[in-house]
Amino acid sequence: MCANANIASGIKSERTDKLLQPKSSGHFTFKEKILEVIKRYPNGCPDSVLRAEISAKEVKDMANSINELLAEHRIDLLKSGNEIYYKFVSESAVVDSMMPLDPLEKLLYQLIVDAKNMGIWIGDLKTKSNIPHRRLMKVIRSMENRKMIKTYHSMAHSRKKVCMLYDLEPHPMIVGGSFFTDEMFDTEFLASISEYCLKFLKSKADNASHFPTFINRMNKRNATVEEVWQFLCNSKISNVNLSQIEVERVLENLVYDSQIEKKFENAKPVYFLTKPLERNQGILHSPCLSCEIALDCVKGGTISPSTCQYFSDWFLDE
């Protein structure tokens, strides 16, 4: 017990040192940049103002930085009406917020903070803290009741329970993402999303079939992950906000089922229906007749029939 108390005391001391040490005069990290903006609004910085203060390229990293600042208790999250506010928490307040915790709670809390939104398995907490199981579970339940932490069943290991900070959004690997409901895989939802993906690709193919040249027909039928994702968002077929990664997984599943095909354009994957748009009708529909660089196309050259993807697609289709 004394050993645990000493460890917890050391954690507090180390945490206090980190919080109170002066920042270097060099460049701010992105997280510190966010914190500096929030500090300028003592009564709370509106989310819209914060987004306006940072560049468009940095917005995608904003959520992770906000989660880290919340986990470190350097900011508070407030809400007024439909607006979200972020309020700076002074360093002394952060240290004081740790005071009501007993040494064991401080030790466990720090381990859970370090795990971020991946959480930490209760078995690992037991190993790292060296706290007996019964006592460990009692402390965890106490912290849960005080809304300091929350627990989840890991989708990768259904029998494992992980702990994370109460205010953090768990990583999709923990909860299974949008296609899991109450820890069960939602096959109907997947089928519905797959159907809408096919519907979109069919509309692309139908529109492409009206173009006069083979090259245009081949290009216009393709869709990127972002295009499919945007279509699903605009369709509002579900209250669940799918990520582009999840949409890509659906498309890959359709490729695996041979319902659509995939190729790469400019190093990015594009998808299209497996069914040909139309059967070719002889040499008159050869892409060579409408190719703008046909005069530069020679056998063995940089531009050659043997390396032309359009010619290969047309020839195989024929």
Side-chain angles (χ1 to χ4, degrees):
M1 182 70 179
C2 291
N4 288 333
N6 290 334
I7 293 172
S9 176
I11 289 173
K12 176 188 172 184
S13 176
E14 180 184 352
R15 182 175 176 81
T16 305
D17 291 342
K18 287 181 180 178
L19 289 169
L20 300 181
Q21 66 185 6
K23 291 189 171 53
S24 65
S25 58
H27 295 294
F28 283 137
T29 64
F30 179 52
K31 190 164 66 173
E32 289 169 341
K33 180 179 177 180
I34 288 179
L35 199 59
E36 289 303 309
V37 174
I38 294 173
K39 283 181 182 179
R40 299 206 302 264
Y41 299 84
N43 296 323
C45 175
D47 180 74
S48 55
V49 172
L50 180 59
R51 289 176 181 273
E53 290 271 354
I54 60 179
S55 67
K57 292 181 179 179
E58 294 173 324
V59 169
K60 63 181 181 180
D61 299 321
M62 178 175 155
N64 288 335
S65 296
I66 289 292
N67 279 338
E68 289 180 14
L69 290 169
L70 286 168
E72 295 166 2
H73 293 279
R74 300 175 75 183
I75 62 172
D76 279 336
L77 185 64
L78 310 172
K79 190 172 183 181
S80 177
N82 294 326
E83 184 69 72
I84 293 175
Y85 293 80
Y86 307 104
K87 188 173 182 180
F88 174 68
V89 178
S90 67
E91 293 165 343
S92 59
V94 174
V95 176
D96 290 342
S97 69
M98 299 288 287
M99 296 303 289
L101 303 181
D102 66 34
L104 292 184
E105 288 176 327
K106 290 177 184 176
L107 174 59
L108 293 178
Y109 187 83
Q110 187 61 49
L111 290 171
I112 294 170
V113 166
D114 293 341
K116 299 182 179 178
N117 68 339
M118 287 299 296
I120 181 170
W121 179 40
I122 290 178
D124 289 336
L125 277 177
K126 181 180 177 181
T127 301
K128 293 182 178 182
S129 65
N130 200 28
I131 300 174
H133 182 75
R134 184 175 295 181
R135 174 63 174 154
L136 174 69
M137 296 308 298
K138 184 177 180 180
V139 174
I140 288 175
R141 282 193 294 270
S142 172
M143 295 171 75
E144 278 189 288
N145 292 336
R146 292 154 66 184
K147 297 190 182 301
M148 296 172 60
I149 66 169
K150 56 188 174 185
T151 57
Y152 279 92
H153 282 287
S154 170
M155 295 310 304
H157 306 282
S158 58
R159 294 186 179 182
K160 288 188 175 183
K161 212 171 187 182
V162 297
C163 300
M164 71 181 64
L165 293 183
Y166 185 82
D167 294 325
L168 289 185
E169 188 70 25
H171 192 280
M173 288 180 62
I174 302 298
V175 295
S178 302
F179 294 102
F180 284 81
T181 304
D182 297 328
E183 301 179 8
M184 296 292 292
F185 186 72
D186 194 337
T187 54
E188 291 185 5
F189 183 52
L190 174 61
S192 177
I193 297 299
S194 299
E195 183 180 342
Y196 269 81
C197 289
L198 289 171
K199 178 181 178 181
F200 176 67
L201 292 176
K202 184 179 186 306
S203 69
K204 292 276 290 185
D206 290 343
N207 292 334
S209 66
H210 299 299
F211 283 84
T213 65
F214 177 83
I215 293 176
N216 281 336
R217 290 196 298 273
M218 292 297 101
N219 286 336
K220 297 297 182 180
R221 66 179 179 172
N222 303 330
T224 63
V225 173
E226 185 176 0
E227 287 176 319
V228 179
W229 171 77
Q230 193 63 59
F231 168 76
L232 294 173
C233 291
N234 294 338
S235 299
K236 297 180 180 179
I237 61 173
S238 170
N239 293 327
V240 178
N241 294 321
L242 292 172
S243 67
Q244 290 192 36
I245 293 176
E246 289 173 324
V247 172
E248 185 174 11
R249 288 173 182 166
V250 174
L251 293 171
E252 289 295 327
N253 187 59
L254 290 172
V255 171
Y256 183 79
D257 288 342
S258 300
Q259 296 191 62
I260 64 174
E261 292 184 43
K262 170 187 175 181
K263 67 178 183 178
F264 287 87
E265 289 184 353
N266 299 322
K268 291 180 64 176
V270 294
Y271 301 85
F272 55 94
L273 283 182
T274 299
K275 182 180 178 181
L277 298 178
E278 60 181 38
R279 295 296 297 169
N280 289 321
Q281 298 176 9
I283 194 65
L284 292 178
H285 286 260
S286 164
C288 305
L289 297 180
S290 57
C291 181
E292 297 179 355
I293 55 174
L295 295 178
D296 300 320
C297 186
V298 294
K299 182 179 179 180
T302 304
I303 302 171
S304 166
S306 62
T307 58
C308 178
Q309 185 64 48
Y310 298 113
F311 183 82
S312 297
D313 289 344
W314 169 80
F315 184 79
L316 292 173
D317 195 31
E318 178 64 23

